[in-house]
Amino acid sequence: MTRYRSFVALGDSFTEGLNDPGADGRFRGWADRVAERLARLEPGFRYANLAVRGKLIDQIVADQVPVALEMRPDLISFCAGGNDLLRPGSDPDRMAKKVAAAVRDLRGTGADVLMFTGVDPRDTPIMRRARGKFATYYLHLRSIADLCGCLVVDQWSMQGLRDWRAWSDDRLHMNEDGHRMVAAKVLDVLGVSAEDNWRKVWPPREHVNLSAKRREDAQWLREHFGPWIGRRLRGTSSGDNVTAKRPDLTFFDE
């Protein structure tokens, strides 16, 4: 097991921690949970989280990667592309080239780099239509990780994340249970013991009334998917005017 003295997390809402509320009013998320565990193992452990919701690959590469390069931590997590994939006309091949260049730079500092595949979207009515595009991109990420010597957190294999009980009402962001599972998976990849089990098996669900399910779907379209489409049409993002929650590499207990 490598003892990490510093960790910088890069990315979008997934790494920022939506929708896993913390005690201080900010979102917690898998990255904070991993940092908390690593801090118990290494006195003086430092942590920064530069992730901001809604960010695209180009924005993460332009705004977050240079900051991480200057910080020169022992461990860097890089997860980007989810928001790009949801946009019409996105090209997983072009996206992967941008990621590869950024990852090479991050690895060039000597840091260990964590990369992530996404969750299999086959259970999501709208996103499953682009399942092939998602899979192509995630295979690219695996290839980049192999070529650059990165660690891979494979969410595609995490069957527990295919259950809606691991997700918040917007069906796009994990809830506390989902983030706990991802944190456990990350720690497993790092060779660190975790309190939670990423192989979580959910108890059987109660029978869902079809009419109630249709009402829930309609509510989701109205309250979550509709506003998301509206932001795309207006060229705005949920991350506009949002700044990183931990922009400086500081001791975790601060």
Side-chain angles (χ1 to χ4, degrees):
M1 182 188 71
T2 303
R3 299 291 288 265
Y4 294 105
R5 296 167 298 173
S6 52
F7 170 34
V8 175
L10 312 180
D12 52 28
S13 58
F14 168 67
T15 303
E16 183 185 347
L18 275 69
N19 285 318
D20 178 13
D24 59 358
R26 298 185 300 182
F27 290 115
R28 192 178 182 190
W30 69 265
D32 285 16
R33 293 177 182 278
V34 168
E36 181 179 351
R37 181 70 181 96
L38 296 179
R40 295 196 203 116
L41 301 174
E42 188 66 27
F45 177 83
R46 296 178 299 151
Y47 169 55
N49 190 320
L50 308 181
V52 176
R53 68 199 72 172
K55 296 303 180 183
L56 303 170
I57 291 175
D58 286 343
Q59 295 169 311
I60 294 169
V61 170
D63 300 334
Q64 299 178 28
V65 169
V67 179
L69 293 175
E70 291 185 5
M71 290 177 172
R72 302 188 71 84
D74 299 328
L75 176 66
I76 301 171
S77 67
F78 182 91
C79 185
N83 293 308
D84 299 75
L85 286 169
L86 291 172
R87 295 185 175 231
S90 58
D91 183 343
D93 298 329
R94 294 180 60 188
M95 291 166 55
K97 289 181 179 179
K98 298 175 183 178
V99 170
V103 169
R104 283 194 294 267
D105 289 342
L106 294 171
R107 282 289 288 150
T109 66
D112 283 349
V113 175
L114 277 168
M115 297 180 65
F116 296 74
T117 72
V119 179
D120 186 349
R122 70 178 180 178
D123 301 310
T124 306
I126 293 175
M127 288 189 286
R128 68 185 174 200
R129 298 178 183 178
R131 191 184 184 206
K133 182 167 68 172
F134 280 75
T136 298
Y137 179 61
Y138 299 151
L139 282 173
H140 275 310
L141 297 184
R142 278 194 162 276
S143 176
I144 294 167
D146 191 30
L147 291 170
C148 296
C150 301
L151 301 165
V152 178
V153 179
D154 183 12
Q155 295 183 88
W156 192 283
S157 68
M158 297 177 66
Q159 297 299 302
L161 291 181
R162 292 182 53 199
D163 193 295
W164 286 118
R165 284 170 286 186
W167 297 80
S168 56
D169 290 342
D170 65 10
R171 305 183 184 180
L172 292 172
H173 301 101
M174 297 174 189
N175 58 23
E176 178 182 342
D177 288 316
H179 280 284
R180 282 185 176 276
M181 293 168 63
V182 173
K185 177 69 170 179
V186 171
L187 291 170
D188 185 52
V189 170
L190 295 177
V192 179
S193 62
E195 297 176 356
D196 298 301
N197 183 8
W198 67 264
R199 295 181 176 86
K200 179 173 181 175
V201 177
W202 294 90
R205 299 191 66 176
E206 297 180 0
H207 176 72
V208 179
N209 181 277
L210 290 179
S211 61
K213 180 66 168 59
R214 284 193 290 268
R215 287 195 299 271
E216 291 177 1
D217 290 343
Q219 181 179 6
W220 173 74
L221 287 169
R222 182 175 63 255
E223 296 182 2
H224 299 288
F225 188 69
W228 183 86
I229 289 295
R231 289 195 296 273
R232 300 289 80 76
L233 294 175
R234 294 191 301 272
T236 61
S237 167
S238 58
D240 291 344
N241 303 315
V242 176
T243 57
K245 64 180 181 179
R246 293 184 66 101
D248 302 311
L249 188 59
T250 56
F251 294 118
F252 184 74
D253 57 358
E254 288 188 358

